[in-house]
Amino acid sequence: MQVEFQTHPSRYRHWALDVDGDVATLTMQVDEDGGLLDGYELKLNSYDLGVDIELHDAVQRLRFEHPEVRAVILTGGIDRVFCAGANIRMLASSPHPWKVNFCKFTNETRNGIEDATANSGQAWIAAINGTCAGGGYELALACDHLILVDDNSSTVALPEVPLLAVLPGTGGLTRLTDKRGVRRDLADVFSTLQEGVRGQRAVDWRLVDEVAPASQLLERARDVAEHRAAASDRPSDASGIELTPLARTIEADTITYPNLRIEIDRALGVANMTVMAPDADPPTDLDAIHAAGSAWWPLALCRELDDAILHLRTNELEVGTWVFRAEGDPARVLAADESVEAHGKDWFAREVGLFWQRTLKRLDVTSRSLFAFVEPGSCFVGTLAELLLAADRTYMLEGIFEDLEGDQDPATIQLTVRNDGAYRMPNGLTRLETRFLHDADALGAAREAIGRPLDAADALALGLVTFAFDDIDWEDETRLALEERAALSPDALVGMEANLRFPGPETLETKVFGRLTAWQNWIFQRPNAAGEEGALRRYGSGQRPDFDPRRV
């Protein structure tokens, strides 16, 4: 089936959003019969990809459509149930790629919640009103302040190891130690307790921040939310920017958006992705930018690229290489970049920049080979140059295509200040800093080139592209590169790319995604978890799993 990542609050089946002044409440009340696929019921506020797609949409709309919201309370809408985590029947019956993509998207959505708290002045508070297990507790962990109901029965738990023979796949273990500061030995005990931990012990172990009686839980959450809201710089009187439906058409092997075109070569397993510069001079005045809203080119293209990444990642598993090109007037891209930079203190411009950072991170952790081709007519400047820096390889044409009719100017690329701090990778560094991690001279030279158009020779000398070929060799060299990629093992490429993309310091994000790629990717396929006698298959059957005791 084709998964659609676009939705709207009017179509939510699992979430209710209520905005009251500067505090919003997002309530999880999952429709048991609303699973994205057949064969399971979403009992006890358990979730599948469809539930998470709605959550992702709500997080985005809170940031863009509700600038007045400075704090968000996340709670459960079922009596004595916050969230029971990912639906086990769904996990047990899903093919392996589905499970991995589901976990990755779930991680990214949780990261978006944390990003809102850290960078948008929109703090998230979890009011844990009952059962909070597995992915449900991981959802709560994404919030900045956790309040657990104190009713002598409700617990927080990560029971994946003892019950399912897998791991808390949306960052649970990492957030325990790196975010919550839970001691390693206590985290070990907690992660092997099926029943979890409740009450004051949960506070003492730093699993939650406080407890409150059921009668006071939401009142206490509101108090915390209003306190956090008072420190926010989000405007109380601004008009939100409506996230209008994306205009996308899919015809055979072509996917078209207003600012992005994708042509799929199924024989090679390649998605040729062309991003397009604005077709007119973009507005630079702040009032005009706000008036443009979701049609403002930096936001419009970012939304389209984000949707395309999710669509291809989930629905086109055999398209293993993505080739980025860019077309249009570089001056218009620069003008848009300069507007985002100049109005960086405005809430809307800030949100657009942060959205680009999240979308580029989504690209970084995507298990696809990323190439970029720089040809005459390209506009890889500023923000779009981040696509070059994110690529596993970049090829640039020297000169022009001699056989093409019409005027051509040799391709150039150009860095701007947006490339030197605005867009951080999961490792906390810019893509320039990551590229030249142990070469301060090369990094300095690249920084000195900011603002200057660079031809192929300059870009190659500065280390900003991998190869530069003339017109005679271009077609053969790029074709051979794509054919070579298609001939290699996709499994080996996923591991190689994931290892090479994040040199330097390890962060919570790189740990979460690295462990998902390695541990969960492996453990989910082991017979102890996924075999006929494994824990996922026998969960809820009354039969104990039969484990192979050998450590591997």
Side-chain angles (χ1 to χ4, degrees), residues 243-265:
L243 297 179
T244 55
L246 293 176
R248 184 191 69 192
T249 59
I250 301 178
E251 297 179 353
D253 294 329
T254 301
I255 305 169
T256 306
Y257 303 82
N259 304 286
L260 173 65
R261 184 177 65 254
I262 303 168
E263 296 174 350
I264 297 176
D265 181 340

Side-chain angles (χ1 to χ4, degrees), residues 63 69-70 110-124 142 144 228 231-235 344-358 361 421-425 428 509:
R63 295 178 77 153
V69 170
R70 298 177 168 195
R110 274 60 171 163
N111 289 348
I113 290 173
E114 291 172 326
D115 182 60
T117 299
N119 297 312
S120 289
Q122 197 175 71
W124 282 63
D144 201 52
R228 295 297 299 271
S232 173
D233 64 352
R234 288 177 71 86
K345 293 184 178 180
D346 171 70
W347 76 270
F348 177 43
R350 178 175 68 182
E351 286 299 340
V352 171
L354 291 170
F355 190 12
W356 266 104
Q357 179 169 264
R358 295 193 302 279
K361 284 183 177 182
Y423 305 124
R424 300 279 167 180
M425 296 179 67
E509 284 188 67

Side-chain angles (χ1 to χ4, degrees), residues 28 272 448 540 545:
M28 185 180 195
N272 292 288
E448 289 178 3

Side-chain angles (χ1 to χ4, degrees), residues 241 283-293 296 339-340 342-350:
I241 302 298
T284 57
D285 175 75
L286 192 56
D287 289 338
I289 288 170
H290 279 252
W296 188 37
S339 295
V340 177
H343 301 300
K345 293 184 178 180
D346 171 70
W347 76 270
F348 177 43
R350 178 175 68 182

Side-chain angles (χ1 to χ4, degrees), residues 207-229:
L207 302 171
V208 300
D209 293 289
E210 58 180 294
V211 294
S215 61
Q216 300 174 24
L217 179 66
L218 289 179
E219 179 182 352
R220 176 57 189 152
R222 180 81 191 196
D223 289 343
V224 174
E226 290 179 346
H227 175 73
R228 295 297 299 271

